[in-house]
Amino acid sequence: MTEVEGAEQRLAGLPPEQRVAGLTPEERLLLVPDEVLRLLPEDYLRSLPLDVQAKIRARLGARPEDA
């Protein structure tokens, strides 16, 4: 078993609120389904840290210059 697989197994046994403990609200946003991310207003997306914006746009297939 790899280190990543071991970590995944340990996380799988935790309740959701413990899995996300230590994440910022912006990082938690990355855990929601793409369908929910698509509903977020563009103004809200632009208010997020650049790294979070980039991850969301990459997941949704949008290029940064499209924003």
Side-chain angles (χ1 to χ4, degrees):
M1 174 182 312
T2 68
E3 188 174 328
V4 171
E5 291 170 336
E8 287 174 350
Q9 281 189 340
R10 285 190 298 280
L11 284 174
L14 296 175
E17 59 274 5
Q18 287 184 357
R19 290 184 208 172
V20 299
L23 296 178
T24 66
E26 293 84 2
E27 291 169 327
R28 290 180 187 182
L29 188 58
L30 297 171
L31 301 174
V32 303
D34 291 357
E35 295 80 17
V36 175
L37 292 176
R38 285 187 182 92
L39 298 174
L40 296 174
E42 187 59 37
D43 288 345
Y44 178 72
L45 290 176
R46 282 195 292 259
S47 74
L48 298 170
L50 293 177
D51 64 318
V52 174
Q53 286 184 49
K55 289 175 185 174
I56 290 173
R57 294 187 195 293
R59 277 181 46 191
L60 300 181
R63 297 175 306 213
E65 58 270 15
D66 291 343

mmCIF file of all heavy atoms in Angstrom, residues 1-40:
data_model
loop_
_atom_site.group_PDB
_atom_site.id
_atom_site.type_symbol
_atom_site.label_atom_id
_atom_site.label_comp_id
_atom_site.label_asym_id
_atom_site.label_seq_id
_atom_site.Cartn_x
_atom_site.Cartn_y
_atom_site.Cartn_z
ATOM 1 N N MET A 1 0.848 -1.174 0.000
ATOM 2 C CA MET A 1 0.000 0.000 0.000
ATOM 3 C C MET A 1 0.897 1.241 0.000
ATOM 4 O O MET A 1 1.843 1.334 0.757
ATOM 5 C CB MET A 1 -0.889 -0.016 1.250
ATOM 6 C CG MET A 1 -1.710 1.233 1.405
ATOM 7 S SD MET A 1 -2.741 1.316 2.884
ATOM 8 C CE MET A 1 -3.555 -0.229 2.895
ATOM 9 N N THR A 2 0.562 2.197 -0.855
ATOM 10 C CA THR A 2 1.340 3.430 -0.921
ATOM 11 C C THR A 2 0.949 4.355 0.222
ATOM 12 O O THR A 2 -0.074 4.154 0.880
ATOM 13 C CB THR A 2 1.118 4.159 -2.258
ATOM 14 O OG1 THR A 2 -0.220 4.646 -2.288
ATOM 15 C CG2 THR A 2 1.394 3.262 -3.448
ATOM 16 N N GLU A 3 1.743 5.365 0.420
ATOM 17 C CA GLU A 3 1.462 6.352 1.457
ATOM 18 C C GLU A 3 0.131 7.063 1.195
ATOM 19 O O GLU A 3 -0.654 7.301 2.110
ATOM 20 C CB GLU A 3 2.603 7.372 1.517
ATOM 21 C CG GLU A 3 2.508 8.321 2.672
ATOM 22 C CD GLU A 3 3.725 9.225 2.771
ATOM 23 O OE1 GLU A 3 4.830 8.789 2.404
ATOM 24 O OE2 GLU A 3 3.546 10.350 3.218
ATOM 25 N N VAL A 4 -0.127 7.378 -0.064
ATOM 26 C CA VAL A 4 -1.380 8.052 -0.433
ATOM 27 C C VAL A 4 -2.570 7.143 -0.156
ATOM 28 O O VAL A 4 -3.583 7.580 0.383
ATOM 29 C CB VAL A 4 -1.347 8.497 -1.912
ATOM 30 C CG1 VAL A 4 -2.708 8.993 -2.367
ATOM 31 C CG2 VAL A 4 -0.284 9.562 -2.119
ATOM 32 N N GLU A 5 -2.459 5.880 -0.525
ATOM 33 C CA GLU A 5 -3.556 4.943 -0.271
ATOM 34 C C GLU A 5 -3.829 4.800 1.221
ATOM 35 O O GLU A 5 -4.994 4.740 1.635
ATOM 36 C CB GLU A 5 -3.248 3.578 -0.887
ATOM 37 C CG GLU A 5 -3.268 3.567 -2.396
ATOM 38 C CD GLU A 5 -2.717 2.276 -2.983
ATOM 39 O OE1 GLU A 5 -1.921 1.592 -2.311
ATOM 40 O OE2 GLU A 5 -3.088 1.967 -4.121
ATOM 41 N N GLY A 6 -2.779 4.786 2.020
ATOM 42 C CA GLY A 6 -2.944 4.704 3.469
ATOM 43 C C GLY A 6 -3.653 5.924 4.017
ATOM 44 O O GLY A 6 -4.544 5.814 4.875
ATOM 45 N N ALA A 7 -3.282 7.095 3.521
ATOM 46 C CA ALA A 7 -3.931 8.328 3.953
ATOM 47 C C ALA A 7 -5.395 8.331 3.537
ATOM 48 O O ALA A 7 -6.266 8.745 4.312
ATOM 49 C CB ALA A 7 -3.206 9.539 3.382
ATOM 50 N N GLU A 8 -5.686 7.865 2.326
ATOM 51 C CA GLU A 8 -7.070 7.808 1.855
ATOM 52 C C GLU A 8 -7.898 6.878 2.723
ATOM 53 O O GLU A 8 -9.046 7.182 3.056
ATOM 54 C CB GLU A 8 -7.117 7.369 0.394
ATOM 55 C CG GLU A 8 -6.643 8.432 -0.570
ATOM 56 C CD GLU A 8 -6.562 7.941 -2.006
ATOM 57 O OE1 GLU A 8 -6.700 6.720 -2.252
ATOM 58 O OE2 GLU A 8 -6.348 8.793 -2.879
ATOM 59 N N GLN A 9 -7.336 5.760 3.125
ATOM 60 C CA GLN A 9 -8.055 4.825 3.987
ATOM 61 C C GLN A 9 -8.330 5.441 5.352
ATOM 62 O O GLN A 9 -9.411 5.276 5.895
ATOM 63 C CB GLN A 9 -7.281 3.520 4.143
ATOM 64 C CG GLN A 9 -7.428 2.592 2.975
ATOM 65 C CD GLN A 9 -6.829 1.230 3.251
ATOM 66 O OE1 GLN A 9 -5.995 1.068 4.146
ATOM 67 N NE2 GLN A 9 -7.244 0.239 2.485
ATOM 68 N N ARG A 10 -7.358 6.148 5.893
ATOM 69 C CA ARG A 10 -7.560 6.792 7.198
ATOM 70 C C ARG A 10 -8.646 7.857 7.108
ATOM 71 O O ARG A 10 -9.498 7.963 7.974
ATOM 72 C CB ARG A 10 -6.252 7.399 7.713
ATOM 73 C CG ARG A 10 -5.270 6.359 8.226
ATOM 74 C CD ARG A 10 -4.095 6.989 8.954
ATOM 75 N NE ARG A 10 -3.284 7.849 8.117
ATOM 76 C CZ ARG A 10 -2.354 7.443 7.261
ATOM 77 N NH1 ARG A 10 -2.100 6.163 7.127
ATOM 78 N NH2 ARG A 10 -1.662 8.301 6.556
ATOM 79 N N LEU A 11 -8.614 8.649 6.038
ATOM 80 C CA LEU A 11 -9.638 9.686 5.853
ATOM 81 C C LEU A 11 -11.023 9.089 5.651
ATOM 82 O O LEU A 11 -12.021 9.641 6.120
ATOM 83 C CB LEU A 11 -9.286 10.585 4.669
ATOM 84 C CG LEU A 11 -8.191 11.602 4.907
ATOM 85 C CD1 LEU A 11 -7.854 12.322 3.607
ATOM 86 C CD2 LEU A 11 -8.600 12.604 5.966
ATOM 87 N N ALA A 12 -11.093 7.972 4.963
ATOM 88 C CA ALA A 12 -12.387 7.347 4.684
ATOM 89 C C ALA A 12 -13.107 6.962 5.969
ATOM 90 O O ALA A 12 -14.334 6.950 6.012
ATOM 91 C CB ALA A 12 -12.204 6.134 3.789
ATOM 92 N N GLY A 13 -12.359 6.692 7.018
ATOM 93 C CA GLY A 13 -12.971 6.305 8.284
ATOM 94 C C GLY A 13 -13.408 7.470 9.146
ATOM 95 O O GLY A 13 -14.016 7.265 10.194
ATOM 96 N N LEU A 14 -13.135 8.691 8.723
ATOM 97 C CA LEU A 14 -13.484 9.870 9.510
ATOM 98 C C LEU A 14 -14.810 10.458 9.061
ATOM 99 O O LEU A 14 -15.155 10.406 7.885
ATOM 100 C CB LEU A 14 -12.406 10.950 9.350
ATOM 101 C CG LEU A 14 -11.021 10.637 9.871
ATOM 102 C CD1 LEU A 14 -10.064 11.770 9.509
ATOM 103 C CD2 LEU A 14 -11.048 10.431 11.368
ATOM 104 N N PRO A 15 -15.548 11.075 9.998
ATOM 105 C CA PRO A 15 -16.754 11.796 9.592
ATOM 106 C C PRO A 15 -16.369 13.007 8.738
ATOM 107 O O PRO A 15 -15.254 13.529 8.858
ATOM 108 C CB PRO A 15 -17.398 12.232 10.906
ATOM 109 C CG PRO A 15 -16.438 11.917 11.985
ATOM 110 C CD PRO A 15 -15.326 11.093 11.421
ATOM 111 N N PRO A 16 -17.274 13.461 7.868
ATOM 112 C CA PRO A 16 -16.951 14.561 6.949
ATOM 113 C C PRO A 16 -16.401 15.808 7.646
ATOM 114 O O PRO A 16 -15.458 16.421 7.144
ATOM 115 C CB PRO A 16 -18.281 14.864 6.260
ATOM 116 C CG PRO A 16 -19.031 13.590 6.346
ATOM 117 C CD PRO A 16 -18.610 12.945 7.628
ATOM 118 N N GLU A 17 -16.953 16.175 8.789
ATOM 119 C CA GLU A 17 -16.473 17.395 9.448
ATOM 120 C C GLU A 17 -15.025 17.275 9.912
ATOM 121 O O GLU A 17 -14.305 18.261 9.977
ATOM 122 C CB GLU A 17 -17.392 17.800 10.610
ATOM 123 C CG GLU A 17 -17.537 16.773 11.696
ATOM 124 C CD GLU A 17 -18.620 15.734 11.454
ATOM 125 O OE1 GLU A 17 -19.239 15.713 10.372
ATOM 126 O OE2 GLU A 17 -18.847 14.919 12.355
ATOM 127 N N GLN A 18 -14.574 16.060 10.188
ATOM 128 C CA GLN A 18 -13.169 15.872 10.554
ATOM 129 C C GLN A 18 -12.277 15.822 9.321
ATOM 130 O O GLN A 18 -11.110 16.198 9.380
ATOM 131 C CB GLN A 18 -12.995 14.607 11.391
ATOM 132 C CG GLN A 18 -13.522 14.759 12.798
ATOM 133 C CD GLN A 18 -13.258 13.527 13.638
ATOM 134 O OE1 GLN A 18 -12.719 12.527 13.159
ATOM 135 N NE2 GLN A 18 -13.642 13.586 14.898
ATOM 136 N N ARG A 19 -12.799 15.364 8.211
ATOM 137 C CA ARG A 19 -12.011 15.311 6.971
ATOM 138 C C ARG A 19 -11.632 16.708 6.500
ATOM 139 O O ARG A 19 -10.586 16.901 5.908
ATOM 140 C CB ARG A 19 -12.786 14.629 5.851
ATOM 141 C CG ARG A 19 -12.977 13.170 6.048
ATOM 142 C CD ARG A 19 -13.661 12.585 4.854
ATOM 143 N NE ARG A 19 -14.418 11.417 5.256
ATOM 144 C CZ ARG A 19 -15.250 10.776 4.476
ATOM 145 N NH1 ARG A 19 -15.462 11.195 3.253
ATOM 146 N NH2 ARG A 19 -15.893 9.740 4.924
ATOM 147 N N VAL A 20 -12.511 17.675 6.729
ATOM 148 C CA VAL A 20 -12.258 19.027 6.240
ATOM 149 C C VAL A 20 -11.679 19.945 7.314
ATOM 150 O O VAL A 20 -11.421 21.119 7.040
ATOM 151 C CB VAL A 20 -13.529 19.656 5.627
ATOM 152 C CG1 VAL A 20 -14.005 18.838 4.450
ATOM 153 C CG2 VAL A 20 -14.612 19.824 6.668
ATOM 154 N N ALA A 21 -11.463 19.419 8.506
ATOM 155 C CA ALA A 21 -10.889 20.230 9.575
ATOM 156 C C ALA A 21 -9.542 20.778 9.128
ATOM 157 O O ALA A 21 -8.730 20.082 8.533
ATOM 158 C CB ALA A 21 -10.721 19.391 10.841
ATOM 159 N N GLY A 22 -9.333 22.051 9.354
ATOM 160 C CA GLY A 22 -8.072 22.682 8.981
ATOM 161 C C GLY A 22 -8.089 23.324 7.606
ATOM 162 O O GLY A 22 -7.150 24.025 7.254
ATOM 163 N N LEU A 23 -9.121 23.063 6.825
ATOM 164 C CA LEU A 23 -9.218 23.707 5.508
ATOM 165 C C LEU A 23 -9.889 25.065 5.663
ATOM 166 O O LEU A 23 -10.797 25.237 6.471
ATOM 167 C CB LEU A 23 -10.060 22.860 4.540
ATOM 168 C CG LEU A 23 -9.524 21.494 4.157
ATOM 169 C CD1 LEU A 23 -10.501 20.782 3.235
ATOM 170 C CD2 LEU A 23 -8.164 21.605 3.511
ATOM 171 N N THR A 24 -9.463 26.014 4.856
ATOM 172 C CA THR A 24 -10.108 27.322 4.858
ATOM 173 C C THR A 24 -11.463 27.193 4.158
ATOM 174 O O THR A 24 -11.693 26.233 3.416
ATOM 175 C CB THR A 24 -9.264 28.366 4.099
ATOM 176 O OG1 THR A 24 -9.225 27.991 2.718
ATOM 177 C CG2 THR A 24 -7.861 28.483 4.666
ATOM 178 N N PRO A 25 -12.373 28.155 4.379
ATOM 179 C CA PRO A 25 -13.652 28.105 3.655
ATOM 180 C C PRO A 25 -13.457 28.039 2.142
ATOM 181 O O PRO A 25 -14.203 27.340 1.449
ATOM 182 C CB PRO A 25 -14.348 29.403 4.079
ATOM 183 C CG PRO A 25 -13.779 29.711 5.421
ATOM 184 C CD PRO A 25 -12.337 29.251 5.337
ATOM 185 N N GLU A 26 -12.457 28.738 1.640
ATOM 186 C CA GLU A 26 -12.199 28.721 0.206
ATOM 187 C C GLU A 26 -11.754 27.337 -0.258
ATOM 188 O O GLU A 26 -12.136 26.875 -1.325
ATOM 189 C CB GLU A 26 -11.144 29.771 -0.164
ATOM 190 C CG GLU A 26 -11.593 31.202 0.036
ATOM 191 C CD GLU A 26 -11.425 31.705 1.469
ATOM 192 O OE1 GLU A 26 -10.919 30.952 2.341
ATOM 193 O OE2 GLU A 26 -11.808 32.851 1.725
ATOM 194 N N GLU A 27 -10.924 26.672 0.546
ATOM 195 C CA GLU A 27 -10.479 25.321 0.203
ATOM 196 C C GLU A 27 -11.638 24.326 0.284
ATOM 197 O O GLU A 27 -11.723 23.399 -0.516
ATOM 198 C CB GLU A 27 -9.347 24.887 1.123
ATOM 199 C CG GLU A 27 -8.055 25.649 0.898
ATOM 200 C CD GLU A 27 -7.016 25.419 1.973
ATOM 201 O OE1 GLU A 27 -7.378 25.224 3.156
ATOM 202 O OE2 GLU A 27 -5.828 25.425 1.633
ATOM 203 N N ARG A 28 -12.524 24.537 1.237
ATOM 204 C CA ARG A 28 -13.701 23.663 1.352
ATOM 205 C C ARG A 28 -14.587 23.775 0.121
ATOM 206 O O ARG A 28 -15.237 22.814 -0.282
ATOM 207 C CB ARG A 28 -14.507 24.006 2.604
ATOM 208 C CG ARG A 28 -13.811 23.628 3.875
ATOM 209 C CD ARG A 28 -14.635 23.989 5.064
ATOM 210 N NE ARG A 28 -13.850 23.766 6.274
ATOM 211 C CZ ARG A 28 -14.315 23.958 7.483
ATOM 212 N NH1 ARG A 28 -15.544 24.389 7.662
ATOM 213 N NH2 ARG A 28 -13.545 23.738 8.524
ATOM 214 N N LEU A 29 -14.616 24.944 -0.458
ATOM 215 C CA LEU A 29 -15.414 25.167 -1.662
ATOM 216 C C LEU A 29 -14.990 24.219 -2.785
ATOM 217 O O LEU A 29 -15.802 23.797 -3.598
ATOM 218 C CB LEU A 29 -15.267 26.625 -2.105
ATOM 219 C CG LEU A 29 -16.135 27.124 -3.223
ATOM 220 C CD1 LEU A 29 -17.614 26.960 -2.877
ATOM 221 C CD2 LEU A 29 -15.832 28.580 -3.501
ATOM 222 N N LEU A 30 -13.719 23.846 -2.804
ATOM 223 C CA LEU A 30 -13.215 22.946 -3.837
ATOM 224 C C LEU A 30 -13.752 21.525 -3.689
ATOM 225 O O LEU A 30 -13.589 20.706 -4.587
ATOM 226 C CB LEU A 30 -11.683 22.931 -3.824
ATOM 227 C CG LEU A 30 -11.025 24.269 -4.156
ATOM 228 C CD1 LEU A 30 -9.531 24.196 -3.909
ATOM 229 C CD2 LEU A 30 -11.336 24.681 -5.579
ATOM 230 N N LEU A 31 -14.410 21.239 -2.580
ATOM 231 C CA LEU A 31 -14.946 19.906 -2.336
ATOM 232 C C LEU A 31 -16.363 19.720 -2.874
ATOM 233 O O LEU A 31 -16.852 18.605 -2.922
ATOM 234 C CB LEU A 31 -14.926 19.599 -0.834
ATOM 235 C CG LEU A 31 -13.548 19.654 -0.171
ATOM 236 C CD1 LEU A 31 -13.677 19.485 1.332
ATOM 237 C CD2 LEU A 31 -12.626 18.617 -0.761
ATOM 238 N N VAL A 32 -17.003 20.801 -3.273
ATOM 239 C CA VAL A 32 -18.385 20.687 -3.760
ATOM 240 C C VAL A 32 -18.387 20.205 -5.209
ATOM 241 O O VAL A 32 -17.414 20.393 -5.948
ATOM 242 C CB VAL A 32 -19.162 22.017 -3.609
ATOM 243 C CG1 VAL A 32 -19.180 22.487 -2.164
ATOM 244 C CG2 VAL A 32 -18.625 23.082 -4.517
ATOM 245 N N PRO A 33 -19.493 19.603 -5.629
ATOM 246 C CA PRO A 33 -19.572 19.114 -7.013
ATOM 247 C C PRO A 33 -19.506 20.252 -8.037
ATOM 248 O O PRO A 33 -19.881 21.395 -7.741
ATOM 249 C CB PRO A 33 -20.950 18.434 -7.086
ATOM 250 C CG PRO A 33 -21.380 18.246 -5.670
ATOM 251 C CD PRO A 33 -20.677 19.282 -4.855
ATOM 252 N N ASP A 34 -19.057 19.918 -9.233
ATOM 253 C CA ASP A 34 -18.963 20.903 -10.310
ATOM 254 C C ASP A 34 -20.306 21.574 -10.587
ATOM 255 O O ASP A 34 -20.354 22.761 -10.903
ATOM 256 C CB ASP A 34 -18.451 20.249 -11.597
ATOM 257 C CG ASP A 34 -16.995 19.835 -11.505
ATOM 258 O OD1 ASP A 34 -16.352 20.103 -10.466
ATOM 259 O OD2 ASP A 34 -16.502 19.242 -12.473
ATOM 260 N N GLU A 35 -21.391 20.828 -10.464
ATOM 261 C CA GLU A 35 -22.719 21.391 -10.705
ATOM 262 C C GLU A 35 -23.003 22.565 -9.778
ATOM 263 O O GLU A 35 -23.648 23.539 -10.158
ATOM 264 C CB GLU A 35 -23.812 20.321 -10.529
ATOM 265 C CG GLU A 35 -23.744 19.209 -11.543
ATOM 266 C CD GLU A 35 -22.690 18.148 -11.224
ATOM 267 O OE1 GLU A 35 -22.207 18.062 -10.069
ATOM 268 O OE2 GLU A 35 -22.322 17.409 -12.150
ATOM 269 N N VAL A 36 -22.521 22.478 -8.550
ATOM 270 C CA VAL A 36 -22.709 23.562 -7.581
ATOM 271 C C VAL A 36 -21.769 24.720 -7.911
ATOM 272 O O VAL A 36 -22.172 25.887 -7.861
ATOM 273 C CB VAL A 36 -22.492 23.058 -6.136
ATOM 274 C CG1 VAL A 36 -22.554 24.199 -5.137
ATOM 275 C CG2 VAL A 36 -23.511 21.978 -5.792
ATOM 276 N N LEU A 37 -20.541 24.407 -8.274
ATOM 277 C CA LEU A 37 -19.590 25.462 -8.628
ATOM 278 C C LEU A 37 -20.099 26.293 -9.802
ATOM 279 O O LEU A 37 -19.897 27.507 -9.842
ATOM 280 C CB LEU A 37 -18.221 24.867 -8.978
ATOM 281 C CG LEU A 37 -17.448 24.232 -7.827
ATOM 282 C CD1 LEU A 37 -16.162 23.609 -8.345
ATOM 283 C CD2 LEU A 37 -17.168 25.234 -6.724
ATOM 284 N N ARG A 38 -20.778 25.658 -10.739
ATOM 285 C CA ARG A 38 -21.308 26.378 -11.906
ATOM 286 C C ARG A 38 -22.373 27.402 -11.515
ATOM 287 O O ARG A 38 -22.639 28.331 -12.272
ATOM 288 C CB ARG A 38 -21.889 25.395 -12.915
ATOM 289 C CG ARG A 38 -20.839 24.660 -13.685
ATOM 290 C CD ARG A 38 -21.453 23.806 -14.799
ATOM 291 N NE ARG A 38 -20.409 23.081 -15.477
ATOM 292 C CZ ARG A 38 -20.005 21.857 -15.153
ATOM 293 N NH1 ARG A 38 -20.596 21.203 -14.183
ATOM 294 N NH2 ARG A 38 -19.026 21.277 -15.810
ATOM 295 N N LEU A 39 -22.985 27.231 -10.357
ATOM 296 C CA LEU A 39 -24.040 28.143 -9.903
ATOM 297 C C LEU A 39 -23.487 29.391 -9.217
ATOM 298 O O LEU A 39 -24.234 30.343 -8.990
ATOM 299 C CB LEU A 39 -24.976 27.415 -8.927
ATOM 300 C CG LEU A 39 -25.721 26.212 -9.502
ATOM 301 C CD1 LEU A 39 -26.483 25.502 -8.399
ATOM 302 C CD2 LEU A 39 -26.642 26.638 -10.625
ATOM 303 N N LEU A 40 -22.210 29.400 -8.902
ATOM 304 C CA LEU A 40 -21.629 30.541 -8.195
ATOM 305 C C LEU A 40 -21.542 31.754 -9.123
ATOM 306 O O LEU A 40 -21.094 31.634 -10.269
ATOM 307 C CB LEU A 40 -20.230 30.191 -7.669
ATOM 308 C CG LEU A 40 -20.181 29.074 -6.625
ATOM 309 C CD1 LEU A 40 -18.736 28.734 -6.298
ATOM 310 C CD2 LEU A 40 -20.951 29.460 -5.378
#
